[in-house]
């Protein structure tokens, strides 16, 4: 049966391996989990540690949901004319991208995007992402808009502007104000 198989290899086999390093603090979390499993009798202190551990995780989850919600509200407010100048810029960019896709063949666009992604090592890190985050950071969330209207700052500013307009009209036509 050994004579049936050739003694020389047919070719080479390429083996690819990936090493996944544990995240920072993973050993401590693993030790805490093992300690919780090993303890048969859970005392008051262990319950307190368990409670604080779950409380930290729930707070982290809550904070991440809050950030995602704020980002979504900012995008919504960017597109519903809450900040008109920035909405104009976004709509102009969308129109230019549409015109680009209509006028330029898709293979050229794909080639350009792939070159952009392949050359990111030669450019500063995350310039586009930083600019987008800056654009979104200056657009208010729904909560900030509500606070502005509730405090009356917005109304006071418009009242002052109206007073200035009325005062300008009074100074232009003093005869009209007397009658």
């Amino acid at each position: 049966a050994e004579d049936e198989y050739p003694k020389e290899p047919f070719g080479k086999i390429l083996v690819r391996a990936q090493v996944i390093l544990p995240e920072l603090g993973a050993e401590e979390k693993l030790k805490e989990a093992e300690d919780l499993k090993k303890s048969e009798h859970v005392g008051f202190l262990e319950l307190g540690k368990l409670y604080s551990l779950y409380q930290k995780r729930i707070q982290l989850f809550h904070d991440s949901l809050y950030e995602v919600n704020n980002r979504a509200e900012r995008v919504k407010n960017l597109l519903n004319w809450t900040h008109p100048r920035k909405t104009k810029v976004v709509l102009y960019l969308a129109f230019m991208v549409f015109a680009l896709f209509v006028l330029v063949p898709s293979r050229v666009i794909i080639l350009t995007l792939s070159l952009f992604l392949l050359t990111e090592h030669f450019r500063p890190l995350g310039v586009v992402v930083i600019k987008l985050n800056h654009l979104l950071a200056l657009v208010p969330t729904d909560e900030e808009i509500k606070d502005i209207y509730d405090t009356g700052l917005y109304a006071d500013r418009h009242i002052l502007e109206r007073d200035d307009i009325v005062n300008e009209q009074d100074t232009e036509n003093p005869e009209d104000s007397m009658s």
Side-chain angles (χ1 to χ4, degrees):
E2 294 178 337
D3 296 333
E4 294 176 12
Y5 297 110
K7 302 209 180 207
E8 296 179 19
F10 286 119
K12 296 180 181 176
I13 297 176
L14 179 63
V15 177
R16 183 176 177 187
Q18 182 177 3
V19 177
I20 300 174
L21 298 174
E23 64 182 56
L24 296 176
E27 293 176 6
E28 295 172 3
K29 292 178 185 176
L30 184 63
K31 286 181 182 179
E32 287 178 9
E34 287 176 357
D35 290 343
L36 288 175
K37 286 181 184 177
K38 286 180 182 177
S39 65
E40 293 177 4
H41 177 12
V42 179
F44 182 72
L45 292 177
E46 285 81 18
L47 280 176
K49 288 180 183 178
L50 185 64
Y51 177 73
S52 68
L53 178 70
Y54 284 130
Q55 189 176 19
K56 287 177 187 176
R57 287 185 182 173
I58 289 172
Q59 184 65 36
L60 181 66
F61 179 71
H62 180 265
D63 291 344
S64 62
L65 280 180
Y66 181 76
E67 290 299 321
V68 168
N69 185 36
N70 277 347
R71 185 169 295 262
E73 283 181 356
R74 289 177 196 276
V75 169
K76 179 196 73 149
N77 289 337
L78 181 66
L79 297 177
N80 72 2
W81 297 92
T82 302
H83 203 291
R85 290 184 189 152
K86 291 187 180 189
T87 303
K88 284 181 185 178
V89 169
V90 169
L91 292 178
Y92 286 147
L93 286 175
F95 180 73
M96 287 192 302
V97 168
F98 173 73
L100 178 80
F101 278 111
V102 169
L103 299 174
V104 179
S106 60
R107 65 176 180 260
V108 175
I109 294 172
I110 292 171
L111 176 67
T112 305
L113 288 176
S114 61
L115 285 175
F116 180 77
L117 292 174
L118 290 174
T119 59
E120 74 180 31
H121 297 289
F122 306 113
R123 289 180 276 116
L125 294 175
V127 173
V128 175
V129 174
I130 291 171
K131 288 185 179 185
L132 286 175
N133 284 338
H134 180 68
L135 175 78
L136 283 179
L138 296 177
V139 175
T141 62
D142 290 344
E143 185 178 338
E144 292 168 347
I145 292 172
K146 183 181 177 292
D147 289 342
I148 289 170
Y149 283 117
D150 287 347
T151 57
L153 294 176
Y154 182 76
D156 291 342
R157 187 177 79 204
H158 283 291
I159 290 171
L160 291 175
E161 289 174 0
R162 287 186 195 144
D163 288 341
D164 291 340
I165 292 171
V166 170
N167 290 337
E168 287 176 11
Q169 289 175 352
D170 288 344
T171 57
E172 290 175 6
N173 300 326
E175 299 161 0
D176 293 339
S177 62
M178 292 180 158
S179 54

